[in-house]
Structures are given as structure tokens and as C-alpha cells.
Amino acid sequence: MYGYEITQKVKAETNGNLILKEGALYPVLHKLEAQGWLTVEAERVDGRLRKYYKITEAGDKERVNLLQSLQEYLKTMEQLFQPKWSY
């Protein structure tokens, strides 16, 4: 996907609850590219250069690792804040 397309997909997938501004998105995309987690292909569309971003195999592995870490964190927070009712 290209940058604007990513912002619109995030907005649609979150029912408008998360608005990802392009000014916040592009620095992250550049960082992910520098780390080898994204590839970029440029294509001219209607006279404008459009960059398409695609996750690499290494990026997908990192995504899985980060999601597992997030799940563990959320499980820990749930255990920590879950009230224990005793009478």
C-alpha cells in the first residue's frame, strides 16, 4: 500500500477511532525500511511518484514477535488489575 492508502485503511478498520496522520506515518515507514522490515517500490501514477510499501519476511517475523509481546503484556495487565472479589 502507499502512505495515504495506509492512513485510510487504519481509519476504516478502527471505525474512525484511530486517525493516523501522514506526518506521523512517514517517519515510521522510513524507519521500518531502514531496519529492513519494509521494501519500497516507486511507481508514477497520474504524473506523481507514489511509493508502495510492503512488509519483508524479516518484518513479518518482527511483527509476530511484537504481537506476542503485546499479548503477554496485556495478559499481565489483566491479571494485575482484575479485581478479586472476596466476601
Side-chain angles (χ1 to χ4, degrees):
M1 287 189 278
Y2 58 95
Y4 178 75
E5 187 178 17
I6 294 170
T7 65
Q8 295 308 297
K9 181 159 179 86
V10 168
K11 184 177 179 181
E13 292 290 325
T14 64
N15 296 317
N17 291 316
L18 181 60
I19 306 296
L20 184 59
K21 301 287 184 179
E22 291 176 39
L25 174 64
Y26 286 107
V28 173
L29 291 175
H30 295 150
K31 183 177 179 182
L32 294 174
E33 179 187 6
Q35 291 172 311
W37 296 339
L38 289 180
T39 59
V40 180
E41 291 184 19
E43 182 178 313
R44 196 157 292 280
V45 177
D46 297 327
R48 297 178 61 189
L49 191 62
R50 185 177 285 172
K51 292 182 179 180
Y52 289 90
Y53 299 88
K54 183 177 178 184
I55 194 165
T56 63
E57 186 176 328
D60 196 49
K61 287 179 184 178
E62 183 64 17
R63 178 190 62 84
V64 169
N65 290 338
L66 289 171
L67 286 173
Q68 288 174 342
S69 294
L70 178 59
Q71 287 174 336
E72 291 170 12
Y73 174 79
L74 290 173
K75 184 177 178 182
T76 300
M77 289 292 102
E78 184 179 345
Q79 290 172 347
L80 183 62
F81 290 104
Q82 187 175 28
K84 292 185 169 73
W85 304 103
S86 60
Y87 298 98

